[in-house]
Amino acid sequence: MIRSVIQRQTRVVVPLRANLSRARFYADDAFEKRESASENKYIHEKEMAQLKELREKLENAKKQVDDIEAKIGQRQRESELENKNKK
């Protein structure tokens, strides 16, 4: 009789332990997913900030190129006028 009671108790305890183990596994998995999502969000925000900075630098470089081209065009016109005046 004692043996059958012990066997019944161990049958109940083993699945309970297995369920706790699964619960810990899924809890760890959920934590890892949240942590991974948080890391991905941080990386994404950092990359977006870098892209914004690079776009601003690109716009500034384009403005500088436009200014240089305008100066070159102006000097070419001035040299053409000087050549016409010399003739």
Side-chain angles (χ1 to χ4, degrees), residues 6-38:
I6 292 173
Q7 286 177 347
R8 287 182 196 158
Q9 287 178 349
T10 56
R11 287 182 194 156
V12 173
V13 172
V14 171
L16 180 62
R17 286 183 185 162
N19 286 338
L20 289 174
S21 175
R22 287 184 196 143
R24 286 186 193 123
F25 171 75
Y26 289 117
D28 289 342
D29 188 42
F31 175 76
E32 288 175 7
K33 286 181 182 178
R34 280 189 306 245
E35 184 178 16
S36 176
S38 176

Side-chain angles (χ1 to χ4, degrees), residues 1 5-6 34 41 45 48 52 69 74-75 83:
M1 174 133 165
V5 171
I6 292 173
R34 280 189 306 245
K41 182 181 176 186
E45 289 174 353
M48 293 304 290
K52 183 179 178 182
E69 287 177 347
Q74 183 180 2
R75 288 190 181 165
N83 289 338

Side-chain angles (χ1 to χ4, degrees), residues 20-82:
L20 289 174
S21 175
R22 287 184 196 143
R24 286 186 193 123
F25 171 75
Y26 289 117
D28 289 342
D29 188 42
F31 175 76
E32 288 175 7
K33 286 181 182 178
R34 280 189 306 245
E35 184 178 16
S36 176
S38 176
E39 289 172 356
N40 289 340
K41 182 181 176 186
Y42 173 78
I43 291 169
H44 178 73
E45 289 174 353
K46 188 152 184 122
E47 287 175 346
M48 293 304 290
Q50 288 175 344
L51 281 173
K52 183 179 178 182
E53 183 180 330
L54 288 173
R55 285 185 182 127
E56 290 172 359
K57 287 182 180 181
L58 179 62
E59 287 299 317
N60 290 335
K62 284 181 181 180
K63 288 178 185 177
Q64 289 177 352
V65 169
D66 290 342
D67 291 342
I68 292 171
E69 287 177 347
K71 287 178 183 178
I72 290 172
Q74 183 180 2
R75 288 190 181 165
Q76 284 177 344
R77 281 181 256 133
E78 288 173 359
S79 66
E80 288 173 1
L81 286 174
E82 286 177 6

